Amino acid sequence: MAEISIIIPVYNNAENIERLINSIKAQTFQDFEVILINDGSTDDSLERIEQEIKGDERFLAVNIENSGQAFARHFAFDSVTAPYTTFIDADDYVKPEFLNHLYYNLIIYEADLSVVNYELNQNGRLVQMHASEPMVVIEQQDIPYEWIAAPHFDGFLWNKLFKTVYLQRIDWDVDYNLLEDVTLITRYLRFVQKVVYDSRADYVYVRGNTTTINSPLLITDWLAVDTVLAEMRQLIERDSDLKCLAVRRFDLTRFLYERATPEDLVTYSTQFWQLRQKIAEDNQLHYLQNLSHFDKLLKWGILSNQHIFRILKLRGKLVEIKHWLNRK
């Protein structure tokens, strides 16, 4: 039996899959199994996978009808045999020490969750995301703040090593593909006594043009937001951490407005009104005092229900300028 199971959902990733598989084969830690789930790809992803893994019994390719990334991950998890599980997205790739650092950090520090830093690959330019001290050990009482405020680790499944036994104890939401990874990690953290974070960027996240962010709003998106906020609230025991939750709720509200069209504001008027009410409550409790200047302007727009799209358009332009300057 392998020590680590790697789950990889694949959908129309034919041009990237060779790079990913080669990066896994190059790991310094070799005691692993890989479960690749071809989620009904319409390109030749499955053929490329079978070609790349031929003769290597550590790799298993499974083909299913297109059901979404959340379902594909859960389907693959049923085949996991290792005591530890990690995830990789098919667009991305990993550096040779990825598994080694995840595994030995978890063992040495007797942690329940191991996290490594990552680099963002945008148009071939690599940017390390979280600069911090080399190693951070997060004890149980500090986990809610660290998770909700996210100073060291983000809501991705792919740069983390989990204990399989804890993943088996939680519910996996497979009916929507927004924030399902954040919800899964939040539920996992109920079992966690210690998290270890390594600032070495062993995972490379390749940002593409087609993401959930570009997709139209769906009624299930509201369910996803409500679920993740409710799960985060259950983690909180200290009143001070409620401020972090309020900021996270504001961030998710901004995210939904950024994706919305004027028609969505009518279709989902009740849901947007409920979010505005929660932000008003958080504001009255002084939980949103430390927002950026721009977000304070957006908060005014949301609470007054005025000029929201103009403010967001201005923010989008500023972000474009920032990215343009970073490429120079």
Side-chain angles (χ1 to χ4, degrees):
M1 181 177 70
E3 193 70 3
I4 297 176
S5 292
I6 305 171
I7 293 176
I8 306 174
V10 179
Y11 179 73
N12 289 350
N13 297 109
E15 64 182 43
N16 300 312
I17 203 66
E18 179 181 356
R19 177 181 63 187
L20 169 57
I21 291 175
N22 285 339
S23 75
I24 296 172
K25 289 180 177 179
Q27 292 297 295
T28 58
F29 185 97
Q30 287 283 306
D31 190 8
F32 60 78
E33 64 178 12
V34 182
I35 306 164
L36 295 122
I37 299 294
N38 181 52
D39 187 25
S41 296
T42 57
D43 64 1
D44 61 343
S45 290
L46 182 60
E47 291 78 7
R48 294 283 187 91
I49 291 170
E50 291 174 340
Q51 177 182 338
E52 294 300 324
I53 68 174
K54 187 176 181 180
D56 194 331
E57 295 182 354
R58 297 172 300 175
F59 291 80
L60 172 67
V62 180
N63 190 45
I64 62 173
E65 293 183 1
N66 181 246
S67 304
Q69 182 169 257
F71 180 89
R73 283 175 176 152
H74 187 247
F75 189 91
F77 186 68
D78 288 339
S79 300
V80 163
T81 64
Y84 303 101
T85 301
T86 190
F87 301 83
I88 302 177
D89 283 356
D91 287 333
D92 306 335
Y93 56 98
V94 290
K95 296 182 181 180
E97 295 292 334
F98 172 67
L99 293 179
N100 191 54
H101 289 158
L102 281 175
Y103 179 77
Y104 284 107
N105 287 343
L106 188 140
I107 298 301
I108 292 170
Y109 290 93
E110 298 181 333
D112 301 302
L113 178 65
S114 180
V115 186
V116 294
N117 198 5
Y118 67 97
E119 289 180 337
L120 170 65
N121 181 333
Q122 189 163 20
N123 299 319
R125 185 175 184 270
L126 294 176
V127 180
Q128 183 166 314
M129 298 309 294
H130 294 285
S132 70
E133 55 270 37
M135 196 73 64
V136 179
V137 177
I138 305 166
E139 300 292 345
Q140 185 179 24
Q141 68 271 15
D142 297 319
I143 288 173
Y145 167 79
E146 288 282 342
W147 173 233
I148 297 170
H152 291 110
F153 60 105
D154 297 314
F156 309 115
L157 288 173
W158 38 248
N159 61 337
K160 301 170 176 67
L161 185 66
F162 301 84
K163 290 185 175 179
T164 301
V165 65
Y166 292 160
L167 288 175
Q168 292 169 336
R169 296 180 186 177
I170 59 181
D171 294 328
W172 295 49
D173 290 325
V174 298
D175 296 327
Y176 49 85
N177 288 288
L178 177 70
L179 300 175
E180 78 285 352
D181 43 1
V182 180
T183 301
L184 186 67
I185 297 169
T186 306
R187 289 172 178 165
Y188 181 89
L189 290 175
R190 297 175 190 169
F191 303 100
V192 173
Q193 303 292 313
K194 186 187 294 184
V195 178
V196 58
Y197 168 81
D198 191 330
S199 66
R200 288 173 289 193
D202 291 322
Y203 189 100
V204 183
Y205 166 44
V206 181
R207 178 176 289 173
N209 295 322
T210 303
T211 68
T212 307
I213 297 173
N214 306 122
S215 306
L217 277 179
L218 302 171
I219 191 61
T220 52
D221 294 344
W222 299 97
L223 174 62
V225 170
D226 289 343
T227 299
V228 75
L229 289 173
E231 295 287 346
M232 286 182 172
R233 180 63 184 88
Q234 289 187 34
L235 284 181
I236 291 175
E237 295 181 358
R238 301 183 303 197
D239 289 343
S240 58
D241 292 334
L242 291 173
K243 292 183 179 180
C244 300
L245 183 63
V247 173
R248 179 61 73 97
R249 178 167 29 246
F250 182 86
D251 290 343
L252 290 172
T253 301
R254 182 184 61 220
F255 168 72
L256 290 169
Y257 270 111
E258 285 174 337
R259 290 178 56 197
T261 64
E263 292 76 18
D264 289 329
L265 296 187
V266 176
T267 303
Y268 303 112
S269 58
T270 300
Q271 289 87 347
F272 276 112
W273 179 84
Q274 290 172 341
L275 280 176
R276 285 200 301 273
Q277 291 300 107
K278 292 299 296 184
I279 288 176
E281 292 174 14
D282 291 336
N283 194 49
Q284 289 179 347
L285 292 168
H286 306 291
Y287 287 166
L288 299 174
Q289 290 181 315
N290 295 325
L291 295 177
S292 68
H293 293 305
F294 182 86
D295 279 342
K296 287 179 180 178
L297 176 62
L298 180 59
K299 181 182 69 174
W300 170 84
I302 291 172
L303 293 177
S304 63
N305 201 24
Q306 298 182 60
H307 308 299
I308 297 173
F309 286 121
R310 290 183 181 179
I311 297 170
L312 289 172
K313 185 176 181 180
L314 173 61
R315 180 179 186 271
K317 292 294 183 183
L318 293 175
V319 170
E320 287 180 9
I321 293 172
K322 178 181 177 181
H323 289 167
W324 180 79
L325 291 173
N326 286 338
R327 289 195 295 268
K328 292 296 182 180

